[in-house]
Amino acid sequence: MAIPPRLIASSSSSCASTSTNNSSIHIEEGLASKFWIKFMRESVFSMYTPFIISLASGTLKIDSFRHYISQDSHFLKSFAHA
């Protein structure tokens, strides 16, 4: 699962800056950050679907795993083509 972007509250601008080890990092609050906030509840629920729990615990049936890999393969091929 993807890790949500670091969310920084900004007072008046849509950008924030922070410094780490004497270097300045420019962080923008963009659309992805807004969606992570808006859909936080749904993202938590998606981590606890029966498929994910079975996969994590090692009890997922091999046929379900093969179907998942097949779907993922089709998706990745289409993504690469696009």
Side-chain angles (χ1 to χ4, degrees):
M1 181 168 178
I3 299 172
R6 183 174 176 191
L7 304 175
I8 297 178
S10 176
S11 58
S12 62
S13 67
S14 64
C15 299
S17 294
T18 184
S19 60
T20 306
N21 297 333
N22 297 328
S23 65
S24 181
I25 300 172
H26 188 67
I27 300 172
E28 294 186 24
E29 289 185 19
L31 189 58
S33 296
K34 290 176 185 175
F35 283 149
W36 272 109
I37 292 168
K38 183 174 181 178
F39 297 107
M40 182 71 67
R41 181 173 178 231
E42 288 81 359
S43 69
V44 170
F45 284 135
S46 72
M47 291 188 291
Y48 294 99
T49 62
F51 176 82
I52 298 297
I53 291 172
S54 297
L55 181 63
S57 68
T59 60
L60 184 65
K61 294 180 181 176
I62 192 68
D63 289 335
S64 296
F65 184 70
R66 286 184 181 136
H67 182 69
Y68 166 76
I69 294 298
S70 173
Q71 288 179 328
D72 198 41
S73 174
H74 289 298
F75 168 76
L76 292 174
K77 286 178 185 176
S78 297
F79 185 77
H81 181 72

